[in-house]
Amino acid sequence: FTTANIDPTTITHVLCNGAATGSLQVLSPDTNAGYNYSWENMNDPGISISTTTQAINLIAGTYVLYAHYSDWNNLGQNYEGCTTTDTVSITELSAIQSTGVITNVDCYGNATGSINSITTIGGMPPYTSQWNPGGQNSNLTAGTYTLTITDFNSCQEVDTFEVTQPQALSASISQNGYVLTANTPNGGTAPFSYSWREQSSSNISLQ
C-alpha cells in the first residue's frame, strides 16, 4: 500500500498566462518494486499525462496524482483498493492587457498623432514597454503601431493601435459669368471655412 502525496514545496505555477510551464512532483516516492504513479488533468479524466514521479509542461488546472500497487501475483495489474490519490491546482496569472487613447492625425500628411494614457493590467508588474516602429508614441504619422509590454516574469503581450488621418483636402470652384461658387471640398475634416484671394495678390483676402 502506498500513499499519494504531491510535494507542496516543488509546485511550479504558470507564470505567463496560457503557457505550459507548470510542474508537480511526488513527495517521498516509494521506489520499491510494484509501486507506481500516474497523473491526470481533471478536465481530461482517464487520460494519463505522466507515469513518472513528476509531471511537467502543465497548463493551469487541477491535477490528480494516483499512487498504485501491483505485483506478479496480480499479473502486473494494479490491485483494487490499493490506489490512493492527491489533488492540487496549478494557477496562472491573468493575461496582460493594455488600452490607450488614440489622437488621430489632424491634417493629411502631418505627424500630429499620438497614443497616450496607456493602462496595463494582468501579468506581474512592473512593466516595460517598447513602441514600434519609431520607438515613440507621439508625433506620429498615420499608420499601424505596436506596443510590446514585458512584465516582471518576462511574459509579453503585443497590442496594435491604428492612427488614422483624413483624406487630402482639395477644393474646386464653379463659375457662372462673374459669379464664383466654392464647391463642397473633398477630404479634410468638416466643418469647413472659406477665404477668397486674388491669385496675383494672394496675401489679400477678398472675403
Side-chain angles (χ1 to χ4, degrees), residues 74-91:
N74 199 37
L75 301 178
Q77 300 299 310
N78 296 324
Y79 281 106
E80 291 286 339
C82 291
T83 297
T84 59
T85 63
D86 192 14
T87 303
V88 72
S89 292
I90 287 181
T91 63

Side-chain angles (χ1 to χ4, degrees), residues 9-194:
T9 66
T10 59
I11 297 173
T12 301
H13 294 286
V14 175
L15 296 180
C16 299
N17 186 272
T21 55
S23 66
L24 299 168
Q25 292 186 30
V26 176
L27 175 65
S28 301
D30 194 328
T31 58
N32 291 316
Y35 294 96
N36 59 90
Y37 301 91
S38 64
W39 302 82
E40 291 182 8
N41 186 323
M42 288 190 68
N43 289 329
D44 296 307
I47 300 177
S48 177
I49 58 174
S50 175
T51 56
T52 70
T53 59
Q54 185 180 35
I56 61 174
N57 301 325
L58 305 178
I59 61 173
T62 301
Y63 294 86
V64 182
L65 167 65
Y66 293 88
H68 313 279
Y69 178 74
S70 63
D71 61 19
W72 292 112
N73 293 326
N74 199 37
L75 301 178
Q77 300 299 310
N78 296 324
Y79 281 106
E80 291 286 339
C82 291
T83 297
T84 59
T85 63
D86 192 14
T87 303
V88 72
S89 292
I90 287 181
T91 63
E92 65 182 348
L93 296 174
S94 58
I96 300 171
Q97 301 178 59
S98 67
T99 58
V101 177
I102 298 174
T103 300
N104 292 314
V105 173
D106 55 359
C107 298
Y108 180 86
N110 282 356
T112 55
S114 63
I115 309 167
N116 295 308
S117 301
I118 302 298
T119 300
T120 302
I121 60 173
M124 175 71 73
Y127 310 103
T128 60
S129 59
Q130 175 65 44
W131 288 96
N132 284 298
Q136 62 185 38
N137 61 326
S138 61
N139 301 321
L140 305 178
T141 59
T144 301
Y145 297 86
T146 60
L147 173 62
T148 301
I149 298 172
T150 305
D151 75 354
F152 179 78
N153 294 320
S154 297
C155 307
Q156 288 190 334
E157 169 67 11
V158 178
D159 291 310
T160 301
F161 299 86
E162 188 75 25
V163 176
T164 63
Q165 65 181 352
Q167 293 181 346
L169 180 63
S170 63
S172 62
I173 299 173
S174 297
Q175 181 176 2
N176 184 7
Y178 294 102
V179 178
L180 301 177
T181 303
N183 299 319
T184 301
N186 292 318
T189 304
F192 303 101
S193 61
Y194 302 87

